[in-house]
Amino acid sequence: MTRRRHRPDPFRYFREDLDRIIDRRTNSATDKLFSALLDDITVAAEAAGSATAAVIYVERAIRYALARGQGKLVAALTQDIRRIAEEAAMEGARRTAHAFEQLDGSVPPVLTNEVMLQNKARMRASIDAEALSTNFAPVLLAALVVAVDQAMRPKPQVDQAAVTRAEQVQAAVSAIKSQRYIAERAAVWHATHAFNATQGDIFEEVWPHVPDLMKRWTEKVSDSTGLPLDNRVAVDSRVMHGQVAFPTGVFVMPPDPRVPKSLQGKQWSHPPNRPHDRAVLTPWRPSWGIPGWIWRNGQKLAMKRSLSP
C-alpha cells in the first residue's frame, strides 16, 4: 500500500505574512506613536504650575499638548501605514509568484516584472494611507478630546484644590490609552486592505496570460478538515472560506442563517469585509486541486473546472 504524500498548504505563507507584517508592525507603530503623545503630555504637565493646587494650569497644559500632538500622531501613523502597506503588498506579490512556482512549476513572466509590482504596491499603499488620514483622523481626534474632557471633569465630593498634578496627568494618560484601540484597528484595517487590494490588481494583470486564473477568499480555516486554525475565526469567516471569483468579479456573503443578516448578500472585491477580518486573497486554478466554490444564481457550486465570466 502506497502512502499518499502530504502536500504543504500553498497558502499558509500568505496568512503568516499578513500576521507578521501587518499585525505586529502596525501594533508596534501604534505603540510608538501613542507613547510619544503621552510623553508630550506628561512633559507639558510637569512644566505647568506646582505639584499641588495647580489643576487649571495642568489641565491647560494637557489640552495644549493633546491639540499639538494629535496632528503629529495622525501624520506619523499615516506615514507608517504607507510603509507597512507597501511592504505587505510587495510580500503578497512575491507569495503569488511562489504559489505559481510551487503548483505549476513556473511563474508567469508578468509576475517577474518588479517595476509593475512596485508601482501597484505604492499606488495601493498611498490610497490607503490617504484614506486613513481622511476618514480615521476625525474619529480618533474626537475620541481623544471626549476622553480627556471626561477625565478632566471635576469629580463630585472631591476638593479640586487637593488634586495633584500627578493625579491629573494619570487621569489624562489613562483616558488617552483607553482610545488606543481606535488607532490600532484603523491601522490594521488599512494595511490589510492594501495587502489584498494589491493582490487583486496583480491577478487582473496575470489573467490575460493565465485565462483560468481566479481569486480565492482564504480564511484561517483548514482546507482538509474545514475547521478553524485558531479560536479567533468567526462564523462568517468559515462561511466565506474557499469562495472563488473571477479577477474582476466580487465575492458574495451567502444567506447562511449562522451569519448576521446585516452581512448576508453583501459583496466585496477582496478582504477584509469587517474590522479584524484576517482573510487573504490568494490565486486559484482548477488544476491545483485546492477546494474552491463559487456563488452563482443563488447557489453554492463546487469548482472543478473553469467557467466563463
Side-chain angles (χ1 to χ4, degrees):
M1 178 178 169
T2 46
R3 289 187 69 183
R4 192 175 173 183
R5 275 184 71 186
H6 173 70
R7 184 177 65 181
D9 177 0
F11 299 149
R12 169 188 160 196
Y13 295 109
F14 284 89
R15 294 187 289 252
E16 289 183 355
D17 286 343
L18 195 61
D19 287 345
R20 175 177 56 83
I21 296 174
I22 295 177
D23 285 352
R24 295 177 191 173
R25 287 284 305 279
T26 51
N27 288 347
S28 172
T30 309
D31 278 339
K32 179 178 67 178
L33 297 170
F34 261 73
S35 294
L37 175 62
L38 295 175
D39 286 346
D40 282 351
I41 286 173
T42 303
V43 169
E46 289 293 327
S50 59
T52 58
V55 173
I56 190 168
Y57 299 107
V58 174
E59 182 177 343
R60 284 176 181 170
I62 288 171
R63 291 187 187 284
Y64 173 73
L66 178 59
R68 187 184 59 189
Q70 288 170 354
K72 288 165 53 181
L73 173 67
V74 172
L77 190 58
T78 299
Q79 287 304 312
D80 270 351
I81 290 306
R82 190 188 301 272
R83 287 191 292 268
I84 293 166
E86 189 173 331
E87 179 185 348
M90 281 301 298
E91 193 64 28
R94 293 187 185 104
R95 286 298 171 205
T96 292
H98 181 263
F100 271 96
E101 187 174 19
Q102 180 183 349
L103 296 164
D104 280 347
S106 62
V107 179
V110 67
L111 282 175
T112 63
N113 185 341
E114 282 285 317
V115 174
M116 181 272 291
L117 299 179
Q118 287 173 357
N119 286 340
K120 289 194 176 295
R122 288 195 189 105
M123 179 189 73
R124 282 297 180 178
S126 295
I127 290 171
D128 269 273
E130 185 61 33
L132 178 84
S133 178
T134 304
N135 303 326
F136 152 76
V139 175
L140 176 64
L141 304 189
L144 292 178
V145 170
V146 169
V148 170
D149 278 344
Q150 291 175 344
M152 297 290 100
R153 194 173 296 158
K155 307 294 186 295
Q157 314 301 324
V158 173
D159 180 3
Q160 292 300 295
V163 175
T164 67
R165 176 172 54 196
E167 289 170 336
Q168 284 287 87
V169 172
Q170 183 56 48
V173 166
S174 297
I176 290 170
K177 281 184 176 178
S178 73
Q179 305 305 308
R180 180 190 179 280
Y181 76 95
I182 297 175
E184 182 181 287
R185 185 173 65 182
V188 171
W189 165 272
H190 284 288
T192 304
H193 185 275
F195 178 95
N196 287 305
T198 304
Q199 290 291 88
D201 293 342
I202 290 167
F203 296 165
E204 289 186 31
E205 289 284 338
V206 177
W207 197 18
H209 308 279
V210 184
D212 65 352
L213 175 67
M214 300 186 81
K215 57 185 178 182
R216 184 180 191 257
W217 191 290
T218 302
E219 295 276 0
K220 289 208 166 189
V221 173
S222 168
D223 284 321
S224 56
T225 67
L227 297 175
L229 296 176
D230 61 31
N231 60 7
R232 294 170 55 200
V233 179
V235 172
D236 63 289
S237 295
R238 295 181 65 176
V239 169
M240 289 291 289
H241 176 69
Q243 185 175 165
V244 299
F246 296 102
T248 55
V250 295
F251 298 96
V252 182
M253 178 66 74
D256 191 296
R258 297 171 297 171
V259 175
K261 286 192 177 294
S262 59
L263 285 176
Q264 293 180 27
K266 285 200 168 183
Q267 301 180 347
W268 303 271
S269 57
H270 55 76
N273 62 1
R274 54 171 171 75
H276 306 301
D277 180 26
R278 297 177 296 155
V280 290
L281 198 67
T282 54
W284 185 89
R285 299 185 74 188
S287 59
W288 289 351
I290 294 167
W293 58 274
I294 195 166
W295 187 255
R296 177 163 283 198
N297 299 324
Q299 289 185 309
K300 181 177 177 179
L301 304 175
M303 287 288 291
K304 296 179 181 175
R305 59 181 178 81
S306 297
L307 294 177
S308 299

